[in-house]
Amino acid sequence: MRYFVWFSYDGTAYHGWQVQPNGVTVQSELKRCLSLLLRERVMVTGAGRTDAGVHARVMAAHFDTEVEFDAQVVTKKLNGLLPHDISVDRIEAVAADMHARFSATSRTYHYYIHTKKNPFVRQYSQQIHYSLDFELMNEAGRILMGYDDFGAFCKAGSDVKTTICHVTHAQWHQTSPSSWYFEITANRFLRNMVRAVVGTLVEVGRGRMSLDEFRLVIEGKQRTQAGESMPAKALFLEDVKY
């Protein structure tokens, strides 16, 4: 049987989602705890590969097992075994051909920023010390949706077969006089893509890059021409759709 696990995590203490040889990851913790509960080696496949320090409000993963179990009971026990910064919402049986990564139709990320010192959001939002033109940044966000090759925002050296992504939403939202978040939805994302996109939009918002120059960055497909990658702590995987 194939099962989906729906869960969330604070990525601060982890070296990303994917199992690493020399670091604790979310995937390794989920795999370890599921294997203990089901008393067999469980392989876990996630909906994506969040980088070190990145968080997820909604994440999905699948695993296969012939062990019969009560999903609600295992969910409760799994939460008891997992570290405090990983929480399982539910486990559900799915069709054998459902794949956490390849069956997903879209992912949505949020990147949070604030402009006024705030000790209560500093761990999950990036403080910006300069003025930004959010209207102009939203114009740049709309430009993103007119392209499908995002090589300019892919981390150098990434082992991807294609840099094609279909972005369907890219917009800044204000949540208070001093806080905003950038929301972006696409069918897939490249490694480091969202943080690189936000860093480049910030260049536009600061007046250091025009909209025409922004277009040229996308069309040039060179990571060195885009803005700096923003810190991971303010990035959240917000949703995965199937």
Side-chain angles (χ1 to χ4, degrees), residues 27-200:
Q27 185 181 30
S28 64
E29 286 299 293
L30 189 59
K31 175 183 173 182
R32 177 182 66 83
C33 293
L34 273 171
S35 297
L36 280 172
L37 283 174
L38 299 179
R39 298 182 181 180
E40 68 172 12
R41 187 182 181 187
V42 175
M43 303 302 293
V44 180
T45 300
R49 301 175 182 177
T50 54
D51 292 334
V54 176
H55 321 288
R57 294 191 203 278
V58 175
M59 178 61 149
H62 78 252
F63 67 93
D64 296 320
T65 181
E66 296 304 318
V67 177
E68 294 186 3
F69 63 88
D70 183 308
Q72 289 187 330
V73 171
V74 170
T75 297
K76 185 176 181 179
K77 289 184 176 181
L78 191 55
N79 277 321
L81 278 177
L82 285 165
H84 67 279
D85 45 14
I86 304 175
S87 176
V88 174
D89 178 59
R90 68 188 187 277
I91 300 174
E92 57 188 8
V94 296
D97 61 348
M98 277 290 289
H99 194 285
R101 181 181 176 189
F102 299 123
S103 297
T105 56
S106 72
R107 286 101 168 152
T108 297
Y109 281 90
H110 286 183
Y111 194 90
Y112 294 84
I113 66 171
H114 58 286
T115 56
K116 180 181 178 182
K117 187 176 181 181
N118 185 336
F120 303 109
V121 300
R122 62 186 174 82
Q123 289 182 299
Y124 305 106
S125 177
Q126 178 64 23
Q127 185 172 357
I128 300 296
H129 301 279
Y130 35 77
S131 297
L132 292 173
D133 184 334
F134 286 94
E135 188 173 325
L136 195 62
M137 290 160 72
N138 273 334
E139 285 188 49
R142 288 189 286 272
I143 288 172
L144 279 173
M145 291 185 284
Y147 292 87
D148 58 12
D149 192 328
F150 295 97
F153 307 113
C154 183
K155 187 171 184 177
S158 296
D159 57 344
V160 293
K161 295 179 180 179
T162 175
T163 52
I164 300 297
C165 306
H166 301 296
V167 176
T168 55
H169 183 80
Q171 185 176 2
W172 287 91
H173 301 273
Q174 186 170 11
T175 56
S176 82
S178 60
S179 59
W180 289 260
Y181 68 86
F182 177 63
E183 182 175 59
I184 183 167
T185 300
N187 65 321
R188 65 188 289 265
F189 287 92
L190 306 171
R191 187 178 179 190
N192 206 230
M193 177 174 162
V194 180
R195 290 158 59 196
V197 166
V198 174
T200 311

Side-chain angles (χ1 to χ4, degrees), residues 7-23:
F7 58 103
S8 58
Y9 56 86
D10 178 333
T12 304
Y14 299 98
H15 292 259
W17 157 258
Q18 192 172 13
V19 170
Q20 304 288 334
N22 300 306

Side-chain angles (χ1 to χ4, degrees), residues 213-226:
E213 289 170 331
F214 183 71
R215 288 182 185 276
L216 290 175
V217 166
I218 301 172
E219 292 168 4
K221 305 175 187 177
Q222 298 296 315
R223 179 65 187 91
T224 53
Q225 300 304 308

